[in-house]
Amino acid sequence: MQAQGLFDDFKRHEFKTQNLYERFFELAKNEDEIFEFCRLFLDEFEKSRTIFHDALSYVRESDFAKLIKIALDVLQTSDNENAQELIATASYQCAPLLHPHLELLFKLRPNKGTYYESYPWRGLSYENSQNLREILTSPQTSNKEKEKAFECLVCTKDEKNVKFAYDFAVKNRAFGKKSATVAQGYLEADAGFILREGELKSYCYDATYHICFPRGYFSGDMPVWIKKDKHPTWNLTPLPHKYKFGGVLQSDERNPFLHIITFDKIPSGLGVSLGSLTLGAHTTQMNEGATLFYEHDECGMPRLMGESKVSGDFVDVPIAPCEVSLAPTPPRWLKQDWGTSNARENLFRLGGMPCWIQSAEVLQCPKCGKTMKFLMQLDTDLPCEDGSELYFGSGGICYVLWCDECRVSAFLYQCT
């Protein structure tokens, strides 16, 4: 079998294995082989290896369920890092497969102390969360167990669960004097909710799309394992409509107004009432730490609210123009993460949940004061007209939020 051969070579030579990733991507074309490769890893490797994480994105869901059972058996006798990695990846890509095992996961606590420790409870219904509510409210449970139950309830994203957890945490000061602030932070980061006047409101649109770029758009001068044509999220099925991407709206030697994208046809499921919307940003100014707001006219064209102002000498170059399309995001990729994607995944997304790198930054519209909705995010490494690449900070994500009532867009970025 190809899987056994590659695994044996990796076991002997690790990342010095000749043509390792070329062989890996050939292996990934065969679902039976990639499953066997992952099974061998779980059986024989204790310490985490990046190639195992890479392999999990190519495992079909029916085989993922088998790997979960193997990982749980392993975790009952050891702290195997690859078994924990598998649980973490499953909690992003196929959390419902973990739901039959939640009682054991609550006890074992794989990935303890990480921000994704409670992600296996994603999508769990209110009816199936009764035990978590009992743990949270029982006088017999410890504070650590209550905190864990709170996080799990929030991660379900069920509105009744989230409100129950928040109300209990605030009333009982579960997080000390700052319980309301801490609990609100969990709601924003893990569930996509904000609390306003006692009511939960989502700051995310349900519709989720990935932005699809033309073949060869991104630089080919990068290691094969992070080339932007390998991971499944770079190969989703696009809708036929094309949108103009990149270029410049207004040239300026110090602070050019870069064109990001024009939606001449608003994608279905997004709360944009305009017939057309053009998004652009003064990324040089934003990269100096500014949060920028733009007011859009009835044709969707943006105008900067406030002063165009930069202090440094570096100037961003316009993004290389192209035409992009949108692919409706399959359920497996609705939840993504900047850190665990490890530069492999397509994180250019429209709608859905943002991939916050730091704490959630949910903005209020500068005109009406209401909470803006998350609209779009752009990853680093966008090619520029001069052959360079556009970075957000040291290599993070740019987030775009939207207030439809006031026709205002907002741009900010996060990085490590």
Side-chain angles (χ1 to χ4, degrees):
M1 295 179 73
Q2 283 182 289
Q4 187 70 60
L6 182 58
F7 178 79
D8 288 343
D9 288 349
F10 185 82
K11 195 173 179 181
R12 284 192 295 268
H13 307 295
E14 297 234 350
F15 288 100
K16 293 181 180 178
T17 301
Q18 189 173 12
N19 298 322
L20 173 62
Y21 268 94
E22 288 80 0
R23 293 171 65 190
F24 168 81
F25 285 119
E26 191 62 33
L27 186 77
K29 296 175 183 177
N30 186 313
E31 293 175 325
D32 291 330
E33 294 282 356
I34 205 70
F35 166 75
E36 180 63 13
F37 183 77
C38 292
R39 188 195 65 76
L40 289 167
F41 240 92
L42 283 174
D43 282 347
E44 300 192 38
F45 261 89
E46 176 81 18
K47 295 296 182 182
S48 175
R49 295 292 185 271
T50 306
I51 197 168
F52 176 72
H53 174 78
D54 292 340
L56 292 175
S57 289
Y58 299 88
V59 174
R60 58 191 167 209
E61 288 198 16
S62 59
D63 285 338
F64 227 125
K66 298 174 188 175
L67 292 174
I68 287 169
K69 291 181 179 179
I70 296 171
L72 289 172
D73 286 342
V74 171
L75 288 170
Q76 291 184 74
T77 58
S78 76
D79 291 327
N80 184 291
E81 292 179 0
N82 288 303
Q84 295 193 68
E85 177 71 43
L86 185 134
I87 299 300
T89 303
S91 72
Y92 281 99
Q93 297 184 17
C94 45
L97 296 181
L98 294 168
H99 291 178
H101 312 287
L102 292 179
E103 184 176 350
L104 180 58
L105 286 168
F106 195 92
K107 177 184 176 182
L108 294 176
R109 296 195 68 172
N111 304 298
K112 184 177 180 180
T114 64
Y115 59 88
Y116 45 81
E117 178 189 345
S118 299
Y119 284 7
W121 282 260
R122 289 180 51 244
L124 191 67
S125 69
Y126 181 82
E127 291 72 24
N128 290 328
S129 306
Q130 179 63 30
N131 67 316
L132 291 173
R133 297 191 295 275
E134 290 173 356
I135 292 170
L136 185 62
T137 56
S138 171
Q140 276 75 49
T141 53
S142 67
N143 288 337
K144 287 292 184 183
E145 288 176 310
K146 290 182 186 295
E147 184 175 332
K148 171 73 173 174
F150 168 86
E151 293 177 14
C152 292
L153 285 166
V154 170
C155 284
T156 68
K157 291 186 66 178
D158 177 272
E159 191 167 335
K160 289 191 290 184
N161 275 338
V162 174
K163 187 68 164 59
F164 182 92
Y166 177 86
D167 288 344
F168 179 88
V170 172
K171 182 179 179 181
N172 294 276
R173 300 182 73 178
F175 302 105
K177 293 180 180 179
K178 296 183 178 180
S179 287
T181 302
V182 173
Q184 177 70 56
Y186 277 108
L187 266 60
E188 293 175 356
D190 292 334
F193 285 114
I194 50 98
L195 194 71
R196 292 290 180 268
E197 299 177 353
E199 289 187 17
L200 284 176
K201 295 183 179 179
S202 175
Y203 65 85
C204 305
Y205 297 114
D206 289 334
T208 312
Y209 301 88
H210 274 77
I211 300 175
C212 302
F213 294 86
R215 291 286 178 186
Y217 180 68
F218 290 94
S219 170
D221 185 21
M222 59 179 65
V224 64
W225 53 86
I226 58 172
K227 283 192 173 181
K228 300 186 187 301
D229 62 356
K230 300 298 185 185
H231 192 271
T233 51
W234 293 108
N235 294 287
L236 302 176
T237 304
L239 299 171
H241 194 79
K242 303 285 188 182
Y243 300 92
K244 293 188 181 302
F245 188 91
V248 64
L249 290 173
Q250 184 176 344
S251 298
D252 187 287
E253 347 181 288
R254 297 271 294 144
N255 192 21
F257 191 5
L258 304 192
H259 173 253
I260 305 299
I261 190 169
T262 293
F263 295 108
D264 58 319
K265 176 183 178 183
I266 304 299
S268 175
L270 299 181
V272 179
S273 59
L274 292 168
S276 175
L277 177 64
T278 294
L279 295 172
H282 297 79
T283 58
T284 304
Q285 186 171 349
M286 182 186 70
N287 269 326
E288 291 186 354
T291 296
L292 302 178
F293 295 92
Y294 297 87
E295 189 170 13
H296 295 251
D297 63 22
E298 61 277 4
C299 297
M301 295 299 296
R303 177 184 60 83
L304 178 65
M305 300 173 69
E307 184 181 1
S308 173
K309 182 180 179 181
V310 292
S311 58
D313 295 327
F314 185 83
V315 179
D316 284 332
V317 176
I319 300 165
C322 70
E323 288 190 332
V324 300
S325 50
L326 300 177
T329 302
R332 185 163 182 170
W333 306 109
L334 288 174
K335 177 69 174 175
Q336 290 179 274
D337 177 73
W338 179 81
T340 60
S341 74
N342 203 20
R344 271 73 163 161
E345 300 176 20
N346 178 0
L347 298 182
F348 293 89
R349 292 166 55 105
L350 184 70
M353 280 281 290
C355 305
W356 296 116
I357 298 175
Q358 307 291 345
S359 299
E361 293 188 62
V362 187
L363 302 176
Q364 274 66 56
C365 174
K367 293 189 71 176
C368 68
K370 295 180 181 178
T371 300
M372 303 183 79
K373 287 223 173 190
F374 169 72
L375 181 62
M376 184 177 72
Q377 68 179 42
L378 303 171
D379 202 357
T380 282
D381 284 346
L382 279 167
C384 296
E385 289 182 344
D386 66 352
S388 64
E389 294 173 338
L390 178 61
Y391 271 58
F392 301 114
S394 59
I397 288 179
C398 170
Y399 306 93
V400 185
L401 291 88
W402 175 253
C403 174
D404 194 59
E405 183 177 329
C406 301
R407 301 198 305 244
V408 170
S409 62
F411 285 75
L412 69 144
Y413 80 89
Q414 292 182 349
C415 62
T416 54

PDB file of all heavy atoms in Angstrom, residues 380-406:
ATOM      1  N   THR A 380      -3.751  37.299   4.334  1.00  0.00           N
ATOM      2  CA  THR A 380      -2.512  37.891   3.847  1.00  0.00           C
ATOM      3  C   THR A 380      -2.041  37.159   2.581  1.00  0.00           C
ATOM      4  O   THR A 380      -2.568  36.125   2.222  1.00  0.00           O
ATOM      5  CB  THR A 380      -1.472  37.829   4.978  1.00  0.00           C
ATOM      6  OG1 THR A 380      -1.757  38.868   5.918  1.00  0.00           O
ATOM      7  CG2 THR A 380      -0.054  37.992   4.503  1.00  0.00           C
ATOM      8  N   ASP A 381      -1.051  37.700   1.928  1.00  0.00           N
ATOM      9  CA  ASP A 381      -0.398  37.101   0.743  1.00  0.00           C
ATOM     10  C   ASP A 381      -1.084  37.445  -0.564  1.00  0.00           C
ATOM     11  O   ASP A 381      -0.782  36.823  -1.593  1.00  0.00           O
ATOM     12  CB  ASP A 381      -0.296  35.573   0.838  1.00  0.00           C
ATOM     13  CG  ASP A 381       0.796  35.116   1.789  1.00  0.00           C
ATOM     14  OD1 ASP A 381       1.628  35.951   2.153  1.00  0.00           O
ATOM     15  OD2 ASP A 381       0.808  33.936   2.164  1.00  0.00           O
ATOM     16  N   LEU A 382      -1.977  38.425  -0.593  1.00  0.00           N
ATOM     17  CA  LEU A 382      -2.574  38.828  -1.861  1.00  0.00           C
ATOM     18  C   LEU A 382      -1.489  39.409  -2.770  1.00  0.00           C
ATOM     19  O   LEU A 382      -0.722  40.286  -2.351  1.00  0.00           O
ATOM     20  CB  LEU A 382      -3.663  39.876  -1.633  1.00  0.00           C
ATOM     21  CG  LEU A 382      -5.021  39.340  -1.193  1.00  0.00           C
ATOM     22  CD1 LEU A 382      -5.899  40.476  -0.696  1.00  0.00           C
ATOM     23  CD2 LEU A 382      -5.705  38.601  -2.345  1.00  0.00           C
ATOM     24  N   PRO A 383      -1.395  38.945  -4.014  1.00  0.00           N
ATOM     25  CA  PRO A 383      -0.388  39.492  -4.922  1.00  0.00           C
ATOM     26  C   PRO A 383      -0.696  40.933  -5.310  1.00  0.00           C
ATOM     27  O   PRO A 383      -1.862  41.296  -5.497  1.00  0.00           O
ATOM     28  CB  PRO A 383      -0.460  38.564  -6.140  1.00  0.00           C
ATOM     29  CG  PRO A 383      -1.797  37.915  -6.060  1.00  0.00           C
ATOM     30  CD  PRO A 383      -2.161  37.850  -4.616  1.00  0.00           C
ATOM     31  N   CYS A 384       0.348  41.737  -5.408  1.00  0.00           N
ATOM     32  CA  CYS A 384       0.194  43.157  -5.762  1.00  0.00           C
ATOM     33  C   CYS A 384       0.674  43.403  -7.193  1.00  0.00           C
ATOM     34  O   CYS A 384       1.320  42.552  -7.816  1.00  0.00           O
ATOM     35  CB  CYS A 384       0.983  44.023  -4.785  1.00  0.00           C
ATOM     36  SG  CYS A 384       0.378  43.922  -3.084  1.00  0.00           S
ATOM     37  N   GLU A 385       0.359  44.574  -7.710  1.00  0.00           N
ATOM     38  CA  GLU A 385       0.650  44.895  -9.102  1.00  0.00           C
ATOM     39  C   GLU A 385       2.137  44.874  -9.414  1.00  0.00           C
ATOM     40  O   GLU A 385       2.534  44.635 -10.552  1.00  0.00           O
ATOM     41  CB  GLU A 385       0.062  46.274  -9.445  1.00  0.00           C
ATOM     42  CG  GLU A 385      -1.455  46.282  -9.523  1.00  0.00           C
ATOM     43  CD  GLU A 385      -2.008  47.642  -9.906  1.00  0.00           C
ATOM     44  OE1 GLU A 385      -1.246  48.631  -9.812  1.00  0.00           O
ATOM     45  OE2 GLU A 385      -3.185  47.718 -10.302  1.00  0.00           O
ATOM     46  N   ASP A 386       2.994  45.147  -8.391  1.00  0.00           N
ATOM     47  CA  ASP A 386       4.443  45.189  -8.632  1.00  0.00           C
ATOM     48  C   ASP A 386       5.124  43.850  -8.345  1.00  0.00           C
ATOM     49  O   ASP A 386       6.349  43.761  -8.333  1.00  0.00           O
ATOM     50  CB  ASP A 386       5.090  46.299  -7.812  1.00  0.00           C
ATOM     51  CG  ASP A 386       5.007  46.044  -6.309  1.00  0.00           C
ATOM     52  OD1 ASP A 386       4.309  45.086  -5.899  1.00  0.00           O
ATOM     53  OD2 ASP A 386       5.630  46.800  -5.536  1.00  0.00           O
ATOM     54  N   GLY A 387       4.343  42.804  -8.087  1.00  0.00           N
ATOM     55  CA  GLY A 387       4.927  41.496  -7.811  1.00  0.00           C
ATOM     56  C   GLY A 387       5.143  41.211  -6.338  1.00  0.00           C
ATOM     57  O   GLY A 387       5.524  40.087  -5.969  1.00  0.00           O
ATOM     58  N   SER A 388       4.928  42.214  -5.497  1.00  0.00           N
ATOM     59  CA  SER A 388       5.038  41.998  -4.052  1.00  0.00           C
ATOM     60  C   SER A 388       3.733  41.392  -3.535  1.00  0.00           C
ATOM     61  O   SER A 388       2.835  41.044  -4.316  1.00  0.00           O
ATOM     62  CB  SER A 388       5.344  43.318  -3.328  1.00  0.00           C
ATOM     63  OG  SER A 388       4.261  44.226  -3.492  1.00  0.00           O
ATOM     64  N   GLU A 389       3.593  41.285  -2.224  1.00  0.00           N
ATOM     65  CA  GLU A 389       2.382  40.730  -1.624  1.00  0.00           C
ATOM     66  C   GLU A 389       1.859  41.666  -0.545  1.00  0.00           C
ATOM     67  O   GLU A 389       2.649  42.308   0.160  1.00  0.00           O
ATOM     68  CB  GLU A 389       2.665  39.343  -1.023  1.00  0.00           C
ATOM     69  CG  GLU A 389       3.019  38.301  -2.079  1.00  0.00           C
ATOM     70  CD  GLU A 389       3.457  36.982  -1.469  1.00  0.00           C
ATOM     71  OE1 GLU A 389       3.890  36.982  -0.305  1.00  0.00           O
ATOM     72  OE2 GLU A 389       3.364  35.954  -2.157  1.00  0.00           O
ATOM     73  N   LEU A 390       0.541  41.749  -0.437  1.00  0.00           N
ATOM     74  CA  LEU A 390      -0.093  42.606   0.559  1.00  0.00           C
ATOM     75  C   LEU A 390      -0.212  41.845   1.873  1.00  0.00           C
ATOM     76  O   LEU A 390      -0.806  40.766   1.921  1.00  0.00           O
ATOM     77  CB  LEU A 390      -1.477  43.048   0.074  1.00  0.00           C
ATOM     78  CG  LEU A 390      -2.283  43.921   1.043  1.00  0.00           C
ATOM     79  CD1 LEU A 390      -1.551  45.232   1.342  1.00  0.00           C
ATOM     80  CD2 LEU A 390      -3.667  44.209   0.472  1.00  0.00           C
ATOM     81  N   TYR A 391       0.362  42.411   2.900  1.00  0.00           N
ATOM     82  CA  TYR A 391       0.276  41.841   4.243  1.00  0.00           C
ATOM     83  C   TYR A 391      -0.630  42.712   5.108  1.00  0.00           C
ATOM     84  O   TYR A 391      -0.662  43.935   4.946  1.00  0.00           O
ATOM     85  CB  TYR A 391       1.660  41.772   4.890  1.00  0.00           C
ATOM     86  CG  TYR A 391       2.410  40.499   4.605  1.00  0.00           C
ATOM     87  CD1 TYR A 391       2.694  40.114   3.290  1.00  0.00           C
ATOM     88  CD2 TYR A 391       2.829  39.670   5.634  1.00  0.00           C
ATOM     89  CE1 TYR A 391       3.379  38.940   3.016  1.00  0.00           C
ATOM     90  CE2 TYR A 391       3.510  38.488   5.378  1.00  0.00           C
ATOM     91  CZ  TYR A 391       3.780  38.141   4.071  1.00  0.00           C
ATOM     92  OH  TYR A 391       4.447  36.976   3.806  1.00  0.00           O
ATOM     93  N   PHE A 392      -1.352  42.063   6.000  1.00  0.00           N
ATOM     94  CA  PHE A 392      -2.126  42.784   7.004  1.00  0.00           C
ATOM     95  C   PHE A 392      -1.387  42.641   8.327  1.00  0.00           C
ATOM     96  O   PHE A 392      -1.332  41.552   8.907  1.00  0.00           O
ATOM     97  CB  PHE A 392      -3.545  42.235   7.087  1.00  0.00           C
ATOM     98  CG  PHE A 392      -4.279  42.340   5.773  1.00  0.00           C
ATOM     99  CD1 PHE A 392      -4.657  41.215   5.066  1.00  0.00           C
ATOM    100  CD2 PHE A 392      -4.551  43.592   5.219  1.00  0.00           C
ATOM    101  CE1 PHE A 392      -5.302  41.315   3.848  1.00  0.00           C
ATOM    102  CE2 PHE A 392      -5.194  43.703   3.988  1.00  0.00           C
ATOM    103  CZ  PHE A 392      -5.570  42.563   3.304  1.00  0.00           C
ATOM    104  N   GLY A 393      -0.762  43.735   8.765  1.00  0.00           N
ATOM    105  CA  GLY A 393       0.125  43.660   9.915  1.00  0.00           C
ATOM    106  C   GLY A 393       1.308  42.781   9.566  1.00  0.00           C
ATOM    107  O   GLY A 393       1.902  42.881   8.487  1.00  0.00           O
ATOM    108  N   SER A 394       1.642  41.858  10.480  1.00  0.00           N
ATOM    109  CA  SER A 394       2.774  40.958  10.255  1.00  0.00           C
ATOM    110  C   SER A 394       2.384  39.731   9.461  1.00  0.00           C
ATOM    111  O   SER A 394       3.202  38.822   9.268  1.00  0.00           O
ATOM    112  CB  SER A 394       3.355  40.531  11.611  1.00  0.00           C
ATOM    113  OG  SER A 394       2.365  39.880  12.395  1.00  0.00           O
ATOM    114  N   GLY A 395       1.141  39.664   9.001  1.00  0.00           N
ATOM    115  CA  GLY A 395       0.673  38.526   8.230  1.00  0.00           C
ATOM    116  C   GLY A 395      -0.611  37.967   8.789  1.00  0.00           C
ATOM    117  O   GLY A 395      -0.720  36.758   9.049  1.00  0.00           O
ATOM    118  N   GLY A 396      -1.613  38.838   8.976  1.00  0.00           N
ATOM    119  CA  GLY A 396      -2.866  38.434   9.601  1.00  0.00           C
ATOM    120  C   GLY A 396      -4.037  38.467   8.646  1.00  0.00           C
ATOM    121  O   GLY A 396      -3.899  38.181   7.452  1.00  0.00           O
ATOM    122  N   ILE A 397      -5.191  38.848   9.180  1.00  0.00           N
ATOM    123  CA  ILE A 397      -6.436  38.867   8.416  1.00  0.00           C
ATOM    124  C   ILE A 397      -7.064  40.257   8.493  1.00  0.00           C
ATOM    125  O   ILE A 397      -7.063  40.897   9.546  1.00  0.00           O
ATOM    126  CB  ILE A 397      -7.424  37.807   8.953  1.00  0.00           C
ATOM    127  CG1 ILE A 397      -6.951  36.400   8.572  1.00  0.00           C
ATOM    128  CG2 ILE A 397      -8.828  38.026   8.430  1.00  0.00           C
ATOM    129  CD1 ILE A 397      -7.841  35.277   9.082  1.00  0.00           C
ATOM    130  N   CYS A 398      -7.598  40.713   7.366  1.00  0.00           N
ATOM    131  CA  CYS A 398      -8.379  41.946   7.308  1.00  0.00           C
ATOM    132  C   CYS A 398      -9.861  41.585   7.379  1.00  0.00           C
ATOM    133  O   CYS A 398     -10.324  40.693   6.659  1.00  0.00           O
ATOM    134  CB  CYS A 398      -8.077  42.687   6.004  1.00  0.00           C
ATOM    135  SG  CYS A 398      -9.184  44.074   5.657  1.00  0.00           S
ATOM    136  N   TYR A 399     -10.593  42.269   8.258  1.00  0.00           N
ATOM    137  CA  TYR A 399     -12.021  42.000   8.456  1.00  0.00           C
ATOM    138  C   TYR A 399     -12.836  43.191   7.965  1.00  0.00           C
ATOM    139  O   TYR A 399     -12.470  44.350   8.192  1.00  0.00           O
ATOM    140  CB  TYR A 399     -12.326  41.765   9.938  1.00  0.00           C
ATOM    141  CG  TYR A 399     -11.474  40.679  10.557  1.00  0.00           C
ATOM    142  CD1 TYR A 399     -10.282  40.992  11.205  1.00  0.00           C
ATOM    143  CD2 TYR A 399     -11.853  39.344  10.491  1.00  0.00           C
ATOM    144  CE1 TYR A 399      -9.494  40.010  11.771  1.00  0.00           C
ATOM    145  CE2 TYR A 399     -11.065  38.348  11.054  1.00  0.00           C
ATOM    146  CZ  TYR A 399      -9.885  38.687  11.692  1.00  0.00           C
ATOM    147  OH  TYR A 399      -9.099  37.704  12.248  1.00  0.00           O
ATOM    148  N   VAL A 400     -13.951  42.884   7.312  1.00  0.00           N
ATOM    149  CA  VAL A 400     -14.861  43.923   6.811  1.00  0.00           C
ATOM    150  C   VAL A 400     -16.221  43.725   7.475  1.00  0.00           C
ATOM    151  O   VAL A 400     -16.770  42.623   7.466  1.00  0.00           O
ATOM    152  CB  VAL A 400     -15.013  43.833   5.276  1.00  0.00           C
ATOM    153  CG1 VAL A 400     -15.867  44.988   4.767  1.00  0.00           C
ATOM    154  CG2 VAL A 400     -13.647  43.818   4.598  1.00  0.00           C
ATOM    155  N   LEU A 401     -16.739  44.783   8.073  1.00  0.00           N
ATOM    156  CA  LEU A 401     -18.062  44.744   8.697  1.00  0.00           C
ATOM    157  C   LEU A 401     -18.982  45.715   7.975  1.00  0.00           C
ATOM    158  O   LEU A 401     -18.520  46.634   7.272  1.00  0.00           O
ATOM    159  CB  LEU A 401     -17.972  45.068  10.190  1.00  0.00           C
ATOM    160  CG  LEU A 401     -17.284  43.990  11.050  1.00  0.00           C
ATOM    161  CD1 LEU A 401     -15.778  44.218  11.105  1.00  0.00           C
ATOM    162  CD2 LEU A 401     -17.845  43.961  12.464  1.00  0.00           C
ATOM    163  N   TRP A 402     -20.304  45.555   8.176  1.00  0.00           N
ATOM    164  CA  TRP A 402     -21.270  46.301   7.368  1.00  0.00           C
ATOM    165  C   TRP A 402     -22.484  46.707   8.194  1.00  0.00           C
ATOM    166  O   TRP A 402     -23.027  45.890   8.948  1.00  0.00           O
ATOM    167  CB  TRP A 402     -21.705  45.445   6.180  1.00  0.00           C
ATOM    168  CG  TRP A 402     -22.781  46.012   5.309  1.00  0.00           C
ATOM    169  CD1 TRP A 402     -24.082  45.627   5.229  1.00  0.00           C
ATOM    170  CD2 TRP A 402     -22.635  47.101   4.385  1.00  0.00           C
ATOM    171  NE1 TRP A 402     -24.763  46.395   4.311  1.00  0.00           N
ATOM    172  CE2 TRP A 402     -23.900  47.311   3.776  1.00  0.00           C
ATOM    173  CE3 TRP A 402     -21.558  47.923   4.020  1.00  0.00           C
ATOM    174  CZ2 TRP A 402     -24.107  48.302   2.823  1.00  0.00           C
ATOM    175  CZ3 TRP A 402     -21.775  48.905   3.066  1.00  0.00           C
ATOM    176  CH2 TRP A 402     -23.029  49.093   2.484  1.00  0.00           C
ATOM    177  N   CYS A 403     -22.902  47.960   8.037  1.00  0.00           N
ATOM    178  CA  CYS A 403     -24.183  48.436   8.565  1.00  0.00           C
ATOM    179  C   CYS A 403     -25.061  48.768   7.367  1.00  0.00           C
ATOM    180  O   CYS A 403     -24.788  49.736   6.645  1.00  0.00           O
ATOM    181  CB  CYS A 403     -24.010  49.671   9.447  1.00  0.00           C
ATOM    182  SG  CYS A 403     -25.582  50.411   9.979  1.00  0.00           S
ATOM    183  N   ASP A 404     -26.091  47.963   7.143  1.00  0.00           N
ATOM    184  CA  ASP A 404     -26.918  48.160   5.960  1.00  0.00           C
ATOM    185  C   ASP A 404     -27.811  49.383   6.096  1.00  0.00           C
ATOM    186  O   ASP A 404     -28.088  50.075   5.117  1.00  0.00           O
ATOM    187  CB  ASP A 404     -27.768  46.908   5.708  1.00  0.00           C
ATOM    188  CG  ASP A 404     -28.378  46.912   4.317  1.00  0.00           C
ATOM    189  OD1 ASP A 404     -27.591  46.955   3.344  1.00  0.00           O
ATOM    190  OD2 ASP A 404     -29.614  46.907   4.206  1.00  0.00           O
ATOM    191  N   GLU A 405     -28.244  49.669   7.310  1.00  0.00           N
ATOM    192  CA  GLU A 405     -29.131  50.813   7.532  1.00  0.00           C
ATOM    193  C   GLU A 405     -28.467  52.117   7.129  1.00  0.00           C
ATOM    194  O   GLU A 405     -29.092  53.005   6.538  1.00  0.00           O
ATOM    195  CB  GLU A 405     -29.535  50.859   9.013  1.00  0.00           C
ATOM    196  CG  GLU A 405     -30.510  51.965   9.355  1.00  0.00           C
ATOM    197  CD  GLU A 405     -30.940  51.918  10.815  1.00  0.00           C
ATOM    198  OE1 GLU A 405     -31.002  50.807  11.384  1.00  0.00           O
ATOM    199  OE2 GLU A 405     -31.214  52.993  11.382  1.00  0.00           O
ATOM    200  N   CYS A 406     -27.166  52.245   7.430  1.00  0.00           N
ATOM    201  CA  CYS A 406     -26.454  53.489   7.144  1.00  0.00           C
ATOM    202  C   CYS A 406     -25.534  53.391   5.931  1.00  0.00           C
ATOM    203  O   CYS A 406     -24.880  54.364   5.575  1.00  0.00           O
ATOM    204  CB  CYS A 406     -25.633  53.911   8.356  1.00  0.00           C
ATOM    205  SG  CYS A 406     -26.597  54.184   9.853  1.00  0.00           S
TER     206      CYS A 406
END
